[in-house]
Amino acid sequence: MKVFLTGATGYIGSVVAERLLEHGHEVLGLARSDQAAAHLHARGVEPLSGDLADAGRLIEGATRADAVIHLAQSRFDPGGDFAAQMQQMGQQATRAMGAFLRALSGSGKTLMLTGGTGAYGDTGDSIVDEDTPLPESPMTAALAENERRVLTAAGVRGMAVRPAIVYGRGGGPLTLQLSMARQFGGVMFTGDGENALSFVHVDDVADLYVRLLERGEAGMVLNAVAEPWVTQGDVLRAVSEAAGFGGVIQPMPEEMARGLAYGGGGLFARNMRVSARKARAFGWTPRRPSVLDDLRHGSYAQQGNPA
């Protein structure tokens, strides 16, 4: 198949592109700059110049391909308003989905949307899976509506993936934790540090996208989560080891936690007990090193070592 991939130069998208090529698919990647286009070309991806604000380019890419995988999103500012940024991301996706659905309606082609397990909110002590309704929230309303539009679109093989916190290959949100460790001379946790977090390796996520592309059915929504979950404290102790602070962590001042909505006070402070029950029933099995192993012995080891 020929796949139009947005976010092809990004953290997850670059690995998805790599895996698609390994499976014999052609990849047409959205490129926001000449530098991005050259990078894609060097990796065997055909570049299409444009960005998410250019509906004409999105329609062109979708029309030229057999499938669309939408992975592009705006970058989070760790010091910014997490809720506002989530809303902005949803609005951006709404515009992109409008263009894709105009191009693909009635074609029978594939449209795959990327969400995230953050849409479940704080799960508390409960375990959520793909059948759990998303809570009503202004922060994620647009994302939930975009999922509904894609999954119910007439004549479109619409599917959605909800990744947990993605790690691996030395990238993703964990690099922010390592950067914070360097900046503040240590690793800090929020709350009591015992909240549960769900993670998934970037290569395992890429495997799921390709599996869905090749075998998925219209209407499928799958969580990309490597179980079991781990506590914030355990993750940050491993971050501390990777950063050269010997596994020591300390409480984060409440005012700082509020100011670091994405890096500390939001994403890592909530409970995220998420199951990938349906993804596993679909035959997807995460097989890369756990987040703790990758931090201590893998791609993050000694990245942030102050020495």
Side-chain angles (χ1 to χ4, degrees), residues 46-113:
E46 179 185 353
L48 176 67
S49 297
D51 58 34
L52 290 182
D54 190 340
R57 282 298 200 189
L58 298 184
I59 290 171
E60 177 186 347
T63 302
R64 289 174 55 187
D66 304 301
V68 175
I69 298 178
H70 181 53
L71 270 163
Q73 64 181 40
S74 54
R75 293 183 181 274
F76 275 101
D77 173 10
D81 185 313
F82 180 63
Q85 291 182 81
M86 285 292 291
Q87 288 178 312
Q88 180 184 12
M89 187 173 71
Q91 292 164 1
Q92 185 184 66
T94 296
R95 293 189 292 269
M97 287 306 105
F100 291 142
L101 289 172
R102 287 198 297 275
L104 301 180
S105 181
S107 68
K109 292 182 179 181
T110 297
L111 175 57
M112 204 179 303
L113 174 65

Side-chain angles (χ1 to χ4, degrees), residues 17-191:
E18 176 184 307
R19 195 72 78 250
L20 287 168
L21 293 170
E22 289 174 355
H23 280 245
H25 301 288
E26 298 178 57
V27 182
L28 177 66
L30 190 65
R32 290 180 294 182
S33 66
D34 290 342
Q35 182 180 11
H39 176 72
L40 290 176
H41 182 76
R43 295 174 54 240
V45 175
E46 179 185 353
L48 176 67
S49 297
D51 58 34
L52 290 182
D54 190 340
R57 282 298 200 189
L58 298 184
I59 290 171
E60 177 186 347
T63 302
R64 289 174 55 187
D66 304 301
V68 175
I69 298 178
H70 181 53
L71 270 163
Q73 64 181 40
S74 54
R75 293 183 181 274
F76 275 101
D77 173 10
D81 185 313
F82 180 63
Q85 291 182 81
M86 285 292 291
Q87 288 178 312
Q88 180 184 12
M89 187 173 71
Q91 292 164 1
Q92 185 184 66
T94 296
R95 293 189 292 269
M97 287 306 105
F100 291 142
L101 289 172
R102 287 198 297 275
L104 301 180
S105 181
S107 68
K109 292 182 179 181
T110 297
L111 175 57
M112 204 179 303
L113 174 65
T114 303
T117 58
Y120 291 110
D122 193 317
T123 65
D125 293 331
S126 300
I127 301 172
V128 301
D129 63 21
E130 292 94 339
D131 286 334
T132 304
L134 297 180
E136 293 187 10
S137 165
M139 183 172 68
T140 57
L143 294 172
E145 175 60 16
N146 286 327
E147 266 194 11
R148 186 198 65 77
R149 292 170 66 202
V150 169
L151 299 176
T152 61
V156 176
R157 181 178 168 235
M159 299 175 285
V161 178
R162 297 174 182 162
I165 302 172
V166 183
Y167 70 94
R169 300 199 182 198
L174 290 178
T175 60
L176 174 60
Q177 296 293 342
L178 287 164
S179 176
M180 289 170 62
R182 290 194 298 270
Q183 181 180 351
F184 298 114
V187 178
M188 291 176 280
F189 64 90
T190 57

